[in-house]
Amino acid sequence: MRRCVVDAAPIIFLAKLGHLEFLRLNAEEVLVPTEVLKEIAAKQDEAAEEVSKRLGNWLKIVKLCVPT
């Protein structure tokens, strides 16, 4: 299974355009770090709403760890 990790800017941009599905062009599963999700959710707008609709299906929340 192909996966990718995405930052806030592309998610917000594509959500506002109504094209979040573009994130799936190169991956079956798109991973969103918890800190990125907090950044998106901080501004309650159409982008945050679109992202929350897609969470759990192909858009997954993950906790990233810094290797020691």
Side-chain angles (χ1 to χ4, degrees):
M1 172 184 294
R2 291 184 56 129
R3 295 179 179 149
C4 71
V5 178
V6 69
D7 197 16
I11 294 175
I12 292 167
F13 180 73
L14 290 170
K16 286 184 177 185
L17 292 175
H19 291 294
L20 270 175
E21 71 278 1
F22 284 1
L23 293 172
R24 296 180 67 192
L25 292 177
N26 290 316
E28 296 166 27
E29 197 171 68
V30 178
L31 307 177
V32 181
T34 53
E35 293 303 315
V36 170
L37 186 61
K38 287 178 188 176
E39 184 179 339
I40 294 166
K43 186 174 182 183
Q44 290 298 316
D45 61 3
E46 69 273 6
E49 190 175 316
E50 281 300 311
V51 170
S52 90
K53 288 180 192 175
R54 304 273 195 309
L55 286 174
N57 191 8
W58 54 269
L59 195 59
K60 310 269 184 190
I61 303 169
V62 293
K63 181 173 175 80
L64 296 183
C65 302
V66 177
T68 57

